[in-house]
Amino acid sequence: MGMGVEFVECEEWMDVDCLYKKPKEIKPFDDTPMTITVVSGTTALLPCEVDPNITEMNPDMYRVVWVNPLETVVSMQERRLLNDMRISVERLRTRDWNLHIRNVSVTDAGVYKCQLNVNPVGNKHITLVVHEPPRIVEHTSPAIVKKREGDTVEIYCNATGTPQPTVRWFRVNKRDDSRDRVGNTGESLVIHNISRSCADFYECIADNGVQPSMSQKFEVIVNYKPEVVLGNTRLNQALGKDTVLDCEVYASPVAAAWWQHKDR
């Protein structure tokens, strides 16, 4: 297969520098390898260019073929050979033999080849990389975790996606929904010797740079036995006057409280 030639046009015939320029050589088949990255669910466009002087002038001799990563012939010329309505060969220009894959999925990823039956056979390799947003496929269930004070709490979020997502953990303030990073990056959060001050909402967020990220929220409840706090343990009051005896009870779950005087 020879090389095509594109002659240089000069705007002024007296332009000596232009007249002595060498003609520009054109590759009749663009075999430059490429990598195309798309997000699942979108359309992947795999470009392939062939000099029209080859395919248009000799349509019965030279044919453009697309081959998928499984080494299956996808198309010949503009005709699709697979029973896959998502696939088509689009030609905006006579030199274009672009392969379109609509609603692309991760199973479509791999190395595709655009081939031209010249001698030697022309091959253009295009690596299709399909990114997929993160998904949390498994997590601690139920999402409400109850433990006694002093226990160890472990909650987890298993995430998938392409590329593999990073899972980060946050503590969510019940009052204003603000978030603070806690724990290490990873699919599990462990709280040793948990105390009542750790009772709150926690959230895992899986992110791999492909939007949207995915999250899962948990509520951690810490149970502990009742504690009674007295403001004053001794009160003085005049006879016949009203008085208030005050105490505060802390417990989880909420404790039943009552007053007792002389065993009644």
Side-chain angles (χ1 to χ4, degrees):
M1 178 174 62
M3 301 298 289
V5 176
E6 178 184 348
F7 291 96
V8 178
E9 295 184 3
C10 300
E11 294 183 1
E12 298 182 12
W13 70 275
M14 291 297 292
D15 187 349
V16 178
D17 291 335
C18 177
L19 290 172
Y20 282 95
K21 282 181 179 178
K22 292 182 180 180
K24 180 182 178 182
E25 291 187 344
I26 301 176
K27 294 175 67 175
F29 181 76
D30 177 19
D31 59 0
T32 308
M34 299 178 65
T35 298
I36 303 295
T37 302
V38 296
V39 177
S40 62
T42 63
T43 297
L45 189 157
L46 281 56
C48 184
E49 292 187 5
V50 181
D51 187 344
N53 290 325
I54 298 175
T55 55
E56 305 303 315
M57 300 301 180
N58 305 281
D60 296 329
M61 183 180 299
Y62 299 110
R63 291 184 173 87
V64 178
V65 171
W66 276 98
V67 179
N68 68 13
L70 299 177
E71 295 296 327
T72 302
V73 177
V74 173
S75 66
M76 180 177 292
Q77 296 293 81
E78 298 174 65
R79 184 163 59 97
R80 184 183 68 249
L81 301 181
L82 286 182
N83 186 25
D84 189 341
M85 300 299 293
R86 302 177 304 139
I87 296 175
S88 64
V89 175
E90 306 288 342
R91 303 190 63 196
L92 298 178
R93 302 174 301 171
T94 55
R95 68 171 51 251
D96 291 337
W97 296 87
N98 302 332
L99 185 68
H100 285 223
I101 308 175
R102 297 167 184 82
N103 193 24
V104 70
S105 70
V106 290
T107 58
D108 295 314
V111 180
Y112 289 76
K113 290 184 289 187
C114 178
Q115 295 181 333
L116 180 65
N117 61 326
V118 291
N119 188 17
V121 174
N123 275 295
K124 179 183 180 69
H125 293 80
I126 300 181
T127 302
L128 176 62
V129 178
V130 181
H131 284 177
E132 190 175 39
R135 291 187 302 117
I136 296 176
V137 293
E138 189 180 10
H139 60 80
T140 298
S141 182
I144 298 177
V145 180
K146 296 181 179 180
K147 291 288 184 178
R148 291 180 178 271
E149 200 167 35
D151 287 348
T152 296
V153 174
E154 181 174 5
I155 49 181
Y156 70 91
C157 289
N158 291 340
T160 184
T162 307
Q164 181 64 33
T166 298
V167 179
R168 295 181 176 87
W169 291 89
F170 297 84
R171 181 172 180 170
V172 184
N173 192 297
K174 294 180 181 179
R175 293 184 296 275
D176 58 11
D177 211 37
S178 61
R179 286 165 171 74
D180 296 312
R181 274 291 307 273
V182 293
N184 298 321
T185 298
E187 294 189 336
S188 64
L189 174 68
V190 180
I191 306 173
H192 297 282
N193 193 28
I194 195 166
S195 66
R196 66 193 70 179
S197 63
C198 298
D200 220 331
F201 287 100
Y202 293 83
E203 185 177 31
C204 68
I205 297 180
D207 181 39
N208 64 352
V210 183
Q211 295 301 316
S213 57
M214 187 64 67
S215 65
Q216 173 64 43
K217 189 178 288 186
F218 305 88
E219 183 179 9
V220 175
I221 297 173
V222 181
N223 292 335
Y224 53 94
K225 63 183 182 180
E227 292 182 2
V228 178
V229 177
L230 299 178
N232 292 292
T233 57
R234 185 180 181 85
L235 294 175
N236 295 320
Q237 183 59 282
L239 187 65
K241 299 291 184 179
D242 292 339
T243 190
V244 176
L245 305 179
D246 182 40
C247 75
E248 294 180 355
V249 178
Y250 297 93
S252 178
V254 176
W258 63 90
W259 286 90
Q260 185 171 314
H261 178 243
K262 293 183 178 180
D263 296 329
R264 289 194 307 148

